[in-house]
Amino acid sequence: MVTRVNTVAFQGIDVSPVDVQVQIANGLPAFSIVGLPDKAISEARDRVRAAFHSLNLSLPAKRITVNLAPADLTKEGSHFDLPIALALLGAMGVLPSDEIAEVCAVGELSLDGRLRPVAGVLPAAMFANQCHHTFICPRESGREAAWAGDVEVLAPDSLLGLINHFKGTQVLSQPEIPINPNNDNLEESILDYADIKGQEMAKRAMEIAAAGGHNLLMVGPPGSGKSMLAARLPTILPPLSPEEALDVSMIHSLAGMLEGGRIVMTRPFRDPHHSASLPSLVGGGHKAKPGEISLAHHGVLFLDELPEFQRATLEALRQPLETGKTLVARVNAHVTYPSEFQLIAAMNPCRCGHLSDASLACSRAPKCAADYQSKISGPLLDRFDIRVEVPAVSITDLSLPRPEEGSAQMRARVLHARQFQQERMKALGLGTDTRTNSKLQGQDLEKSVIVDEESQALLNKAAEMLKLSARGYHRVLRVARTIADLESSDAVKKHHLAEALSYRHFNPIQ
């Protein structure tokens, strides 16, 4: 007789069903796990044996075979401990095999039988909900699983508690969703654009970037406020929609970053150090975990000191910026993560950072600037919709009183522009995947940006003088559309295009 329990294997943000099958047959005592398990799963037999021993249960002196079907799918992770233990208990007659066949379980076993939390509980629970299975997970992961919908969740703290539940001597209650799901409250944030004195052009560029979801590059000397400007961008971004919050939370769940069962309700802001490796930024490693660009999905990826990143790491950003997806290629599998992020980058004009000030610049200027900036390839630079210079702040600016306008006023304008975008896109019947102006493509862009002859002549002349690529030409149109949205203008006018071109004209390589 074969006893079965359902579980899952993770392939990026997607899950694949795995059928855990256990057979206890006559023969020499043995305990084998087959079905392409990794090292963590192979070690599960020792954890299961020790957990059973803590419950005064002994494995039968027979041949025990655990099969993880489908056998040609690679399985990784310690979350297979619990389903293997449940299938064994069913095969031994401790639990009813017909009941455990209708559950989906994930969890790691301690040697004393307690259950330890694992990553990926939210997508696993959503899969169980789709299949109408009861979902079993460790108690610490129960509140995370409760977000999956109407699925019945059992979250015991130990294997003994789960056995008692099935035997009717103990009742496991449904975990409760946290009362306050917000991880971060923007209203209580200490960051505010009112903290930044001066840099009005840079603030304007940040507002446009937030309104249209555009990529932005800031260039300026050290201490000019580039990091401060970027860190305050989340305070003017619109909140996540329920669908976006679920997508972001699933990625964070796979990375084991959901705390206290609270899903992510604010847009992520990721700022990896420039020493970050390619796998840490793009994703990969032993278990193909999501990288920084996937953790920034529907949020902001801030790269400070852009030229200091490894060249291969920067070039790996080009495909996700265009497709919104990250493909992690491995020898035995290809894993895809969603990566629709807004790229905000900052850099100094040269290694010393004082190219524009002859009294502070190094002796190799301006050659040092050319060498430093050449680390950024043309194709990557072309993917920035907005390029803005952030000059040094004068002492006069610092002595001025705190600006009256801050993040609250900027956020109100951004929210209004986003609403204006959505209403226009709905009226034009654009694709449902188009959320912001930065995503406009092909015919959708042509329908959204209609200019008069005078404006078209200005654009054509500027494109010829600036030698804009086709990508750069379209990005100018998208930025101009966002500037018009901020003014609640249905038409893209000449001054909208002129301002968009001013952000494209600045080239830090020169």
Side-chain angles (χ1 to χ4, degrees):
M1 179 179 176
V2 176
T3 306
R4 291 180 168 86
V5 172
N6 301 293
T7 188
V8 297
F10 299 107
Q11 295 181 303
I13 199 172
D14 301 319
V15 296
S16 299
V18 174
D19 185 16
V20 180
Q21 307 167 358
V22 171
Q23 182 187 60
I24 300 178
N26 294 325
L28 294 175
F31 189 165
S32 59
I33 302 177
V34 297
L36 288 182
D38 71 342
K39 182 67 173 175
I41 302 175
S42 299
E43 294 172 347
R45 54 175 171 257
D46 296 319
R47 291 191 291 271
V48 170
R49 182 183 288 110
F52 279 23
H53 179 73
S54 68
L55 301 177
N56 293 323
L57 291 174
S58 298
L59 293 177
K62 295 183 179 181
R63 184 172 186 83
I64 301 174
T65 304
V66 178
N67 180 40
L68 307 178
D72 60 346
L73 176 67
T74 302
K75 290 86 179 177
E76 298 176 334
S78 60
H79 67 277
F80 286 92
D81 289 5
L82 181 57
I84 290 174
L86 286 177
L88 266 172
L89 291 172
M92 294 166 58
V94 178
L95 295 179
S97 58
D98 55 339
E99 291 187 25
I100 62 175
E102 298 300 323
V103 305
C104 178
V106 296
E108 179 183 332
L109 278 174
S110 296
L111 298 184
D112 58 359
R114 287 182 295 179
L115 298 180
R116 294 175 52 83
V118 292
V121 167
L122 180 58
M126 294 182 65
F127 169 80
N129 189 22
Q130 295 172 359
C131 299
H132 306 288
H133 292 319
T134 299
F135 185 69
I136 304 177
C137 65
R139 184 178 62 179
E140 295 180 31
S141 304
R143 297 205 297 175
E144 178 182 337
W147 287 101
D150 297 330
V151 61
E152 180 185 0
V153 178
L154 300 178
D157 59 355
S158 66
L159 193 58
L160 178 60
L162 187 59
I163 294 174
N164 291 337
H165 173 82
F166 278 104
K167 288 185 174 296
T169 59
Q170 179 181 346
V171 177
L172 295 174
S173 59
Q174 180 84 3
E176 296 182 357
I177 295 178
I179 296 176
N180 181 15
N182 292 298
N183 295 32
D184 301 293
N185 192 340
L186 291 179
E187 295 180 355
E188 299 178 357
S189 175
I190 62 174
L191 301 179
D192 195 302
Y193 273 110
D195 300 332
I196 301 177
K197 299 178 180 181
Q199 306 298 10
E200 297 304 321
M201 182 177 180
K203 290 181 185 178
R204 168 68 173 173
M206 298 300 290
E207 184 175 325
I208 296 172
H214 302 289
N215 302 325
L216 181 145
L217 173 64
M218 296 178 284
V219 182
S224 57
K226 302 185 293 296
S227 299
M228 290 182 64
L229 287 162
R232 284 154 179 76
L233 181 60
T235 65
I236 64 174
L237 289 174
L240 289 169
S241 67
E243 296 80 8
E244 291 174 335
L246 190 59
D247 289 343
V248 174
S249 298
M250 289 176 66
I251 298 174
H252 282 67
S253 176
L254 288 170
M257 298 175 61
L258 289 186
E259 298 180 1
R262 295 189 297 268
I263 65 173
V264 180
M265 298 298 291
T266 55
R267 295 191 179 273
F269 181 84
R270 308 294 300 181
D271 54 344
H273 191 261
H274 58 75
S275 61
S277 63
L278 179 61
S280 68
L281 193 68
V282 178
H286 176 60
K287 296 183 180 179
K289 290 290 186 180
E292 291 290 337
I293 63 177
S294 296
L295 293 171
H297 183 53
H298 291 318
V300 177
L301 176 68
F302 175 51
L303 301 183
D304 199 7
E305 306 295 345
L306 186 65
E308 298 294 340
F309 283 82
Q310 298 178 12
R311 181 67 176 265
T313 302
L314 292 179
E315 295 305 309
L317 296 174
R318 288 160 55 177
Q319 182 184 18
L321 284 172
E322 294 295 329
T323 64
K325 297 180 180 179
T326 301
L327 177 63
V328 180
R330 306 176 65 190
V331 174
N332 52 6
H334 289 72
V335 177
T336 301
Y337 289 107
S339 304
E340 293 186 8
F341 60 93
Q342 184 176 359
L343 178 60
I344 306 297
M347 60 178 285
N348 297 325
C350 60
R351 185 170 293 279
C352 70
H354 300 286
L355 181 66
S356 59
D357 190 341
S359 62
L360 296 176
C362 65
S363 59
R364 295 186 64 250
K367 187 178 184 304
C368 65
D371 295 340
Y372 187 68
Q373 296 166 12
S374 64
K375 296 180 180 180
I376 306 174
S377 67
L380 178 61
L381 186 66
D382 203 33
R383 284 169 168 81
F384 286 101
D385 301 359
I386 300 174
R387 309 169 193 167
V388 61
E389 184 176 8
V390 184
V393 182
S394 66
I395 301 300
T396 303
D397 289 333
L398 294 177
S399 62
L400 293 174
R402 179 184 173 91
E404 295 183 0
E405 182 176 281
S407 294
Q409 294 79 7
M410 296 172 66
R411 189 169 191 258
R413 291 193 294 266
V414 168
L415 292 177
H416 176 76
R418 289 279 184 119
Q419 182 64 29
F420 193 82
Q421 287 177 50
Q422 296 303 316
E423 292 176 355
R424 184 190 68 253
M425 292 176 182
K426 184 178 181 180
L428 294 175
L430 303 188
T432 56
D433 293 337
T434 305
R435 299 184 181 91
T436 59
N437 289 332
S438 63
K439 304 299 181 185
L440 291 172
Q441 300 285 346
Q443 293 183 353
D444 291 349
L445 180 60
E446 294 178 0
K447 292 179 182 178
S448 301
V449 184
I450 300 176
V451 297
D452 54 29
E453 293 184 2
E454 184 180 5
S455 300
Q456 187 64 51
L458 170 66
L459 180 59
N460 292 342
K461 183 176 180 181
E464 182 178 354
M465 293 181 62
L466 300 177
K467 300 187 182 302
L468 295 180
S469 65
R471 181 188 292 112
Y473 177 86
H474 290 144
R475 290 183 183 273
V476 168
L477 292 178
R478 297 186 189 111
V479 174
R481 178 66 267 176
T482 299
I483 297 173
D485 290 340
L486 284 168
E487 296 182 2
S488 301
S489 174
D490 291 322
V492 176
K493 301 178 181 179
K494 185 177 180 180
H495 68 278
H496 300 147
L497 281 170
E499 184 176 359
L501 286 167
S502 69
Y503 298 126
R504 199 74 189 177
H505 170 66
F506 176 69
N507 189 343
I509 302 301
Q510 295 178 348

